[in-house]
Amino acid sequence: MNLRRTLALGATGLVAAATLTACGFNYPTDKINNLTAGVNYRDGSVEILNAVVVAKEANGGTFIATFVNGSTSKTIALQSVSGDNTAISNAQPTTFSLGPGSLRNLATDGGIPVSGTFALGQFVNLTFTFDDGETANLSVPVVSDSEQWTGLDTFTPSPTTTTSPSPNAPASPSDSAS
């Protein structure tokens, strides 16, 4: 009798342990989880993954992400990238096409130069427009060009113009003394 009771309790304990340790269905472990600073856009035909603006200093940087065409039948092209005219006032994309089921990693292709008034650690808003009429709006973090992002900021600010004296300007006292 004791042996039967021990076996029954042991079997019940095994069933309870198996039930309580199982993950079940629709738990967070079933969801995509990317541990990175970048943000993801997965709502359209083209997914934009691990998106960041990499910057060496404030007000200029390079947008980096991976674009994935989820369509199995049509080629989709990036037409434009724009900021919200607050933090990002200028984006200079080179348009590109994505064949069906293909991807493009901007980290290996040089990225998209962006400029405006933003700082490291800030989030900036960008809108991507594709030739199929879809748009993607992202709030993207500005990260430092260091560690995993080292060397990805290829942004070159436009040369600043220096003022030179006008030929009609009056001579300075040192010019007239000679």
Side-chain angles (χ1 to χ4, degrees):
M1 189 74 141
N2 265 345
L3 182 58
R4 270 194 217 167
R5 184 178 292 160
T6 304
L7 288 174
L9 286 173
T12 303
L14 285 173
V15 170
T19 302
L20 293 174
T21 60
C23 286
F25 300 100
N26 297 322
Y27 283 88
T29 56
D30 293 342
K31 307 226 184 304
I32 296 171
N33 186 17
N34 293 333
L35 301 177
T36 182
V39 297
N40 297 320
Y41 174 84
R42 296 181 182 270
D43 293 336
S45 297
V46 176
E47 294 181 350
I48 304 172
L49 307 175
N50 200 19
V52 295
V53 171
V54 180
K56 292 177 186 159
E57 56 189 48
N59 304 329
T62 305
F63 174 78
I64 300 292
T66 299
F67 288 78
V68 180
N69 183 354
S71 172
T72 57
S73 60
K74 65 180 178 177
T75 298
I76 301 173
L78 175 68
Q79 284 189 319
S80 67
V81 179
S82 60
D84 59 3
N85 288 325
T86 55
I88 299 289
S89 57
N90 188 20
Q92 304 159 0
T94 301
T95 59
F96 57 84
S97 295
L98 294 166
S102 67
L103 65 88
R104 182 170 184 142
N105 184 349
L106 297 183
T108 58
D109 293 345
I112 297 172
V114 295
S115 61
T117 53
F118 55 86
L120 295 174
Q122 182 178 345
F123 278 76
V124 295
N125 297 320
L126 292 168
T127 300
F128 300 84
T129 305
F130 300 96
D131 67 347
D132 65 351
E134 286 190 33
T135 60
N137 298 305
L138 281 91
S139 183
V140 179
V142 179
V143 298
S144 175
D145 186 354
S146 63
E147 298 180 19
Q148 72 190 38
W149 312 109
T150 299
L152 294 179
D153 182 11
T154 58
F155 175 76
T156 306
S158 59
T160 56
T161 56
T162 57
T163 57
S164 58
S166 145
N168 298 332
S172 67
S174 62
D175 290 339
S176 60
S178 47

